[in-house]
Amino acid sequence: MMKHRVALLFSLGFACMLAAGWVGFPRTLYSSARQPVDFNHRIHKDKASQKCEDCHSITSEGVFTGTPALANCAACHAEPMGTSANEKVLVAAWVKPGREIPWRSYARQPMNVHFSHAVHVNLGKLSCDRCHGARGDSTTVALYREDRISGYSRHAVSMTMTDCEDCHRQRGVEAGCLGCHK
Amino acid sequence: MGLTRRDFLTLGIGAAAAVPLTPIPWKLLDDTAKWSQNWSWIPRPPRGERSVRYGTCTLCPAGCGIQARCVGKNLIGIAPVAAHPVSHGALCPYAFGAHQLPYHPARITQPLRHGNPASLDTVVAEIAARAKAGAFAILDERPGRAVSAAYQRLAAAHGGLYLVADHTETTTLQHFADGSGRNLADLGLALENVRTLVSFGAPVLESWATPGRVFALWKSGQLEIVQVEAELSKSAALASQWLPARAGSETYLASLLAGAIGIAEAAERTGVRSDKLAGAMRFIHDRGPWLAVSGGGFPLAVEQSIAGLNAGSGAIVARAASSAAGARLARVPDASAGARLSTVPDASVDARLSHVPDASVDVLFIDHGLLGGSVSFDSLRSKVRRGGIVVSLSPYRAGVAALANFVIPTPAFAESLDEAPTPWDAVSPSYALAPALLDPPAGATTALDFINRVTGGDLPPEAAIRAKVGSLFAARRGEVFTFADRATRPVTEFKSAPDLFKAFSTGACWIDRDAKTVAVNYRPVSAGPEARVVAPTRGTAISPPLFTKLDQESRIGRA
Amino acid sequence: MPGKTHKYGMVIDVDRCTGCGACMIACAAENNVAPAPPRATERTGITPMRVERVSNRAALADRQERFLPVLCMQCGHETPCVSVCPQQAVEVDRESGIVFQMPQRCLGCRYCMTACPYHARYFNWWDPSWPAGMENTLNPGVAPRMRGVVEKCNFCHARLQSAHDKAAAAGKTEIDSADYVPACVEACPTGAITFGDLADASSEVAREARDPRSFRLLPKLGTEPKVYYRSDLAWVRELAEHGGASPDSEPSERRL
């Protein structure tokens, strides 16, 4: 026992730090918050027959409208249409008072990044699922987790410059710095 | 056996060995770099829906059409309106920095009383008492608007004076007005009918008259410039001929042009070489009709001789009375109960500040316009009785407002409905509205609203403007150019005055190109009071913040 | 972006420039350049578009002057700033020909400022500072820069990107040239600046650039600028060819 004391203590310290680094560190580094309304994409896709572009569209000027404004929701949900608690919250807390919902953006990029949905969707023919996953089948929205130090969301880690470069390289599409930066 | 220090050390070393195998150091390094991207003092442009809104720049009398690029409710940039009937698609440096004027550091949002913030009610009470007790006057630094007519109306109704200042740019035209018994506002320069513009120190290719109009004629070669100036100003540098007459010798050039003296004498008096003078005379006379204008600031006799050069040339015209009807404000109902309809006086009838006797005013209101105005404080002060007060109505604590007894904060650029009446040089009457593109801050009140409040006037700005639009509609003259689709429609195509008002509010300009004009004859007024209170037309108390590019970060200076 | 390559360039009519500076203000507004702090001077300020006043240096009575808008010449051959940058913070964009400066990569060595023969590059000596609330007037299409980096004219890349977005919305890879007008071109009240694709032989800018009256600044350096000038005055052309001392003509020298 004595002989292995050093090895044991060393391994113990090693293991503890591994655990702290891989489990404890992410837990403390990322803050979490819920979205103001727990939106159910699936119901809207199935029952309302909506497609992605019905709420997340590209204008004629080529600007992506992003997370929809309240008017989008209020168009149908002036009064609760179903029985869910979430919808009641939507109508009572946001639609009736006319307050814009402060959605937290998962994919916010640094200020010097120019990403054009118009180019990628219309010209690149990328489906929404390719980058955002099968969002349409989800019944809840993900917990929003934000890196306390950098200020970016945890989800943005899968949308970094190297991810863009990989896809561009795969498809043989050159962009140059000017293509993606502003 | 307990844990020793060595044990803790071993534990620590084990932990340290594991650190590079965890995300901790790598993520922290990465994150501190990203953290530096989100520091609070890093400027963040606004986010939101992008749109374009149309309006008119009212920083100077030209009234050029503008497009404003917006993000949400914020203005982020200004662009010109091509094919605009007044501005011809031109804009000056002021317009491009104008969207930042509402945030100028000199901006005030609370009334100032002797330099200290005061509540609006206190200030209103004090000024109203003084205006009631004594003689008040309203100095309008932007005459010709429907709001100007409202000032005249309330001055007439409540025993006050309506005043306008003389400006450098309109010196020659004012002489013509005085000498012909007409109003300055009815006159214009027939620039399209002349081939050469002889400028005595007027910054004709800088900020002068309606710049878009001048540039359009100049760049096509239709209008050439002969600049008489001691200094190589920008206009002199760009002119076809620069006659560097010694300061004070301009009168000899006027005499030369009039044929009263010969080249040799003119050369000797002015210091300009004979061959240059001869060349210039040939140039001017060979090209055809020409117009002489003064930049102002010369002695009366010199101004008269310059104005006299245009006698009989037909280059200075007056709009005939019938076509001036569209410019007159229609009958406006009295807001007071059971009142009769009253006629609003013609907005072109002015009283000149220069002609007001010294020390005759108790309360002098000054509507400074959007850039804080330009008449000097000393010249104003002399008109005010001892113990009287100067009330500046301006968005900024600058210029006269920095010295006035009271300053009332008014809306800044694009914060309130404003008007662009016919520019002083124009031959065709025109009118445009500048809709509010931004919300004014809570403390701001329009100049007319404030003066109404303290004098008992009852015609608010929007009512006056609607009445003006109503009169344009009723006169059935002219056409309307809408900025969004760049289409021109006759006024008669609009169904109602509110319909026309709506078009103006989304970017439109009315112009009457068929307005008849008559040539004006000039007779020098031999014994008239000299205009002692002369302001530079485009003098301003503040500039757009980005003007440091011109004044400080380069050597190009202002236009 | 796949597709045709372009060579965006300009022809500036010096005889039509009135020196008003509208282009300078419009450029600063479009590119989120801050108003200068009190200690900035003409050497330490930031003017990606800058109008210089030049003269024929004759005696005052015979003096002639013109105004020369100077911006990044977008050098097409052996681009000096690109070749010296240790960070590859500037590159010649293959698709548009624009020499694109990325301040976020810049480490502030200012080697490029030394290398640029046209003095068209500017260093952020201070953090930009706007009066309270004025940040609401910033253009979201252009990233702000902090102190310590170099910036210059990028031919209003934000407008090019918007033009591409608009074309993509209609499913097109090629932009409509009317949608891409840099701020200075749009601002000029006399229309002295013509802008477009020099590689498109039928475009107005290409025709004007080919005109024998058009010339470029310091042509013997071989930088092949994409910004051309034209003037009927021989001395302006002479000055462009050989360069000269920095803007002459002090205000005091202009009065008799």
Side-chain angles (χ1 to χ4, degrees):
Chain A
M1 186 57 187
M2 268 288 292
K3 269 192 0 193
H4 302 292
R5 188 194 179 82
V6 167
L8 225 57
L9 283 168
F10 182 91
S11 312
L12 185 61
F14 196 87
C16 284
M17 181 51 83
L18 280 182
W22 287 98
V23 181
F25 179 60
R27 284 230 185 107
T28 48
L29 181 64
Y30 293 106
S31 68
S32 40
R34 297 200 172 280
Q35 295 284 8
V37 175
D38 198 4
F39 183 74
N40 186 330
H41 275 96
R42 189 166 202 160
I43 284 190
H44 288 81
K45 176 177 152 203
D46 294 342
K47 293 225 184 122
S49 313
Q50 288 189 310
K51 299 185 294 298
C52 312
E53 50 268 28
D54 289 335
C55 295
H56 306 282
S57 55
I58 298 172
T59 67
S60 58
E61 293 292 312
V63 178
F64 182 62
T65 59
T67 327
L70 185 72
N72 222 295
C73 315
C76 295
H77 292 276
E79 292 297 330
M81 291 168 75
T83 52
S84 77
N86 282 324
E87 198 197 358
K88 290 199 177 58
V89 166
L90 169 75
V91 177
W94 305 103
V95 176
K96 287 261 163 67
R99 286 165 57 198
E100 280 297 332
I101 304 173
W103 299 106
R104 292 179 167 82
S105 167
Y106 300 107
R108 182 173 73 87
Q109 293 287 322
M111 274 194 286
N112 68 326
V113 171
H114 166 75
F115 178 79
S116 168
H117 274 92
V119 169
H120 287 81
V121 172
N122 290 7
L123 300 181
K125 306 282 188 240
L126 291 176
S127 72
C128 309
D129 294 4
R130 165 67 180 75
C131 301
H132 296 285
R135 198 65 34 222
D137 292 325
S138 65
T139 53
T140 60
V141 285
L143 190 67
Y144 175 77
R145 305 200 66 201
E146 185 180 281
D147 185 321
R148 288 182 215 266
I149 300 175
S150 76
Y152 290 102
S153 92
R154 191 172 191 180
H155 314 262
V157 80
S158 63
M159 286 183 169
T160 61
M161 183 166 161
T162 43
D163 299 301
C164 303
E165 283 183 314
D166 288 342
C167 187
H168 272 256
R169 196 174 303 118
Q170 246 173 33
R171 290 173 174 239
V173 180
E174 208 187 293
C177 307
L178 178 52
C180 310
H181 281 284
K182 56 176 178 177
Chain B
M1 186 170 34
L3 288 168
T4 64
R5 263 183 303 209
R6 183 186 262 186
D7 294 333
F8 279 111
L9 210 57
T10 320
L11 214 59
I13 290 169
V19 163
L21 297 174
T22 67
I24 295 177
W26 319 111
K27 189 84 176 100
L28 282 179
L29 267 172
D30 207 32
D31 277 0
T32 45
K34 291 183 198 164
W35 166 66
S36 71
Q37 292 173 6
N38 290 320
W39 284 331
S40 61
W41 56 92
I42 292 177
R44 276 170 185 71
R47 291 168 66 91
E49 193 182 326
R50 293 212 190 209
S51 59
V52 172
R53 300 171 68 188
Y54 295 92
T56 307
C57 175
T58 49
L59 296 179
C60 93
C64 303
I66 57 169
Q67 295 184 50
R69 293 195 177 89
C70 305
V71 172
K73 297 184 105 186
N74 303 297
L75 299 190
I76 62 158
I78 305 287
V81 171
H84 189 281
V86 172
S87 59
H88 303 276
L91 279 182
C92 78
Y94 278 87
F96 293 104
H99 61 298
Q100 295 184 333
L101 285 171
Y103 306 101
H104 193 284
R107 180 89 199 256
I108 46 162
T109 50
Q110 228 196 330
L112 297 176
R113 182 184 176 282
H114 304 304
N116 299 315
S119 82
L120 187 62
D121 291 330
T122 320
V123 154
V124 165
E126 196 172 331
I127 296 174
R130 290 222 191 206
K132 196 170 285 198
F136 76 86
I138 304 171
L139 174 61
D140 183 2
E141 295 216 6
R142 298 195 44 237
R145 302 172 287 164
V147 164
S148 310
Y151 287 148
Q152 286 172 266
R153 183 167 176 260
L154 91 86
H158 295 91
L161 273 178
Y162 172 79
L163 304 173
V164 295
D166 289 302
H167 287 118
T168 49
E169 271 180 45
T170 48
T171 305
T172 301
L173 217 54
Q174 183 72 66
H175 277 272
F176 258 78
D178 293 343
S180 61
R182 293 175 183 273
N183 279 310
L184 179 67
D186 289 333
L187 299 186
L189 304 177
L191 291 175
E192 285 78 11
N193 297 344
V194 300
R195 299 301 316 281
T196 314
L197 183 56
V198 182
S199 159
F200 285 80
V204 293
L205 287 173
E206 300 163 63
S207 307
W208 185 78
T210 308
R213 180 191 185 201
V214 179
F215 290 152
L217 294 168
W218 171 72
K219 70 183 186 186
S220 66
Q222 184 180 330
L223 185 68
E224 298 270 18
I225 315 291
V226 173
Q227 187 82 2
V228 178
E229 197 164 1
E231 181 176 327
L232 186 54
S233 65
K234 285 187 185 178
S235 298
L238 295 161
S240 324
Q241 313 258 340
W242 172 44
L243 301 178
R246 270 195 291 270
S249 69
E250 297 84 4
T251 186
Y252 296 101
L253 269 169
S255 303
L256 176 64
L257 276 163
I261 61 172
I263 300 252
E265 188 186 347
E268 206 212 298
R269 298 287 198 174
T270 60
V272 182
R273 286 202 316 264
S274 314
D275 58 311
K276 227 179 194 300
L277 285 175
M281 294 303 120
R282 262 198 314 275
F283 181 79
I284 295 167
H285 293 297
D286 286 354
R287 277 180 60 84
W290 53 278
L291 168 68
V293 287
S294 163
F298 298 119
L300 179 65
V302 182
E303 298 289 4
Q304 286 176 336
S305 58
I306 294 170
L309 291 171
N310 301 313
S313 71
I316 294 184
V317 297
R319 284 180 281 280
S322 57
S323 54
R328 200 173 285 131
L329 201 59
R331 286 142 65 89
V332 176
D334 260 316
S336 49
R340 310 174 315 269
L341 285 177
S342 65
T343 317
V344 179
D346 190 336
S348 62
V349 173
D350 310 337
R352 288 160 70 188
L353 181 63
S354 305
H355 299 179
V356 171
D358 282 354
S360 58
V361 177
D362 290 300
V363 180
L364 178 61
F365 295 103
I366 310 171
D367 178 351
H368 283 291
L370 293 174
L371 283 168
S374 60
V375 181
S376 80
F377 188 70
D378 290 336
S379 55
L380 295 173
R381 193 70 219 168
S382 62
K383 305 297 178 186
V384 178
R385 211 168 269 151
R386 221 161 143 195
I389 54 170
V390 173
V391 180
S392 275
L393 296 124
S394 171
Y396 306 103
R397 186 186 182 166
V400 166
L403 303 163
N405 301 95
F406 291 88
V407 188
I408 310 301
T410 50
F413 177 80
E415 285 182 351
S416 67
L417 183 63
D418 201 356
E419 312 164 68
T422 314
W424 69 261
D425 62 302
V427 161
S428 305
S430 62
Y431 187 74
L433 287 188
L437 301 174
L438 295 167
D439 292 327
T445 166
T446 68
L448 178 59
D449 279 323
F450 182 82
I451 296 176
N452 278 343
R453 210 168 147 187
V454 298
T455 58
D458 57 9
L459 188 58
E462 186 165 323
I465 293 169
R466 281 187 182 270
K468 166 89 185 190
V469 173
S471 72
L472 283 178
F473 177 76
R476 300 174 63 79
R477 289 191 59 89
E479 49 200 21
V480 176
F481 171 79
T482 35
F483 303 167
D485 57 4
R486 300 210 220 124
T488 305
R489 294 176 187 78
V491 158
T492 45
E493 249 182 61
F494 288 85
K495 297 187 208 53
S496 63
D499 202 27
L500 181 59
F501 182 84
K502 181 144 175 265
F504 276 135
S505 306
T506 47
C509 176
W510 170 84
I511 187 166
D512 183 1
R513 287 185 226 268
D514 297 325
K516 297 259 181 303
T517 57
V518 294
V520 180
N521 283 321
Y522 176 70
R523 268 185 340 272
V525 175
S526 50
E530 256 187 70
R532 275 166 295 139
V533 185
V534 182
T537 306
R538 267 157 254 257
T540 67
I542 55 120
S543 319
L546 283 175
F547 266 40
T548 56
K549 306 293 156 206
L550 308 177
D551 298 334
Q552 188 188 337
E553 296 171 87
S554 73
R555 287 154 59 136
I556 195 65
R558 304 277 179 100
Chain C
M1 239 76 55
K4 282 177 35 197
T5 57
H6 305 270
K7 247 176 70 175
Y8 290 109
M10 274 180 185
V11 178
I12 301 178
D13 190 341
V14 175
D15 295 332
R16 265 206 203 171
C17 174
T18 62
C20 70
C23 53
M24 293 174 64
I25 305 294
C27 166
E30 164 77 16
N31 291 296
N32 299 339
V33 183
R39 15 178 202 160
T41 64
E42 50 141 334
R43 290 192 58 206
T44 53
I46 301 178
T47 48
M49 167 57 100
R50 184 190 183 106
V51 182
E52 304 281 19
R53 188 166 181 164
V54 296
S55 86
N56 65 351
R57 300 211 184 121
L60 193 62
D62 294 313
R63 179 89 52 86
Q64 278 191 318
E65 287 188 345
R66 279 288 182 269
F67 303 97
L68 212 62
V70 175
L71 63 165
C72 169
M73 297 288 127
Q74 310 285 344
C75 301
H77 181 65
E78 292 187 12
T79 315
C81 57
V82 172
S83 62
V84 302
C85 180
Q87 281 286 94
Q88 292 178 307
V90 59
E91 72 162 16
V92 181
D93 183 60
R94 197 195 68 95
E95 193 252 339
S96 62
I98 294 175
V99 178
F100 185 57
Q101 171 78 6
M102 283 156 291
Q104 292 78 20
R105 272 187 80 93
C106 175
L107 54 73
C109 70
R110 303 193 295 126
Y111 195 171
C112 59
M113 290 174 70
T114 320
C116 176
Y118 306 107
H119 300 292
R121 289 172 149 274
Y122 302 89
F123 186 67
N124 280 275
W125 293 99
W126 305 280
D127 278 331
S129 148
W130 283 271
M134 208 183 279
E135 274 180 39
N136 287 330
T137 62
L138 293 180
N139 178 4
V142 177
R145 286 79 56 195
M146 302 308 283
R147 70 176 186 272
V149 296
V150 172
E151 61 182 73
K152 69 164 188 73
C153 161
N154 280 333
F155 266 8
C156 281
H157 62 281
R159 296 188 179 202
L160 176 59
Q161 288 168 342
S162 294
H164 269 295
D165 284 353
K166 190 167 172 195
K172 298 193 273 217
T173 51
E174 288 303 314
I175 64 163
D176 181 345
S177 58
D179 289 335
Y180 177 33
V181 181
C184 55
V185 180
E186 182 183 63
C188 181
T190 56
I193 310 181
T194 310
F195 178 82
D197 185 3
L198 291 168
D200 175 2
S202 64
S203 69
E204 196 190 340
V205 73
R207 270 182 287 120
E208 290 195 23
R210 283 196 299 266
D211 190 304
R213 277 171 300 174
S214 298
F215 54 87
R216 294 182 283 190
L217 298 189
L218 306 177
K220 294 196 178 86
L221 293 178
T223 50
E224 297 294 317
K226 298 195 205 66
V227 175
Y228 291 75
Y229 293 83
R230 59 190 288 162
S231 172
D232 287 338
L233 294 173
W235 66 262
V236 174
R237 198 187 186 111
E238 265 283 306
L239 184 68
E241 233 164 276
H242 303 296
S246 44
D248 40 24
S249 209
E250 289 289 332
S252 56
E253 292 168 18
R254 291 191 214 118
R255 268 201 97 85
L256 288 158

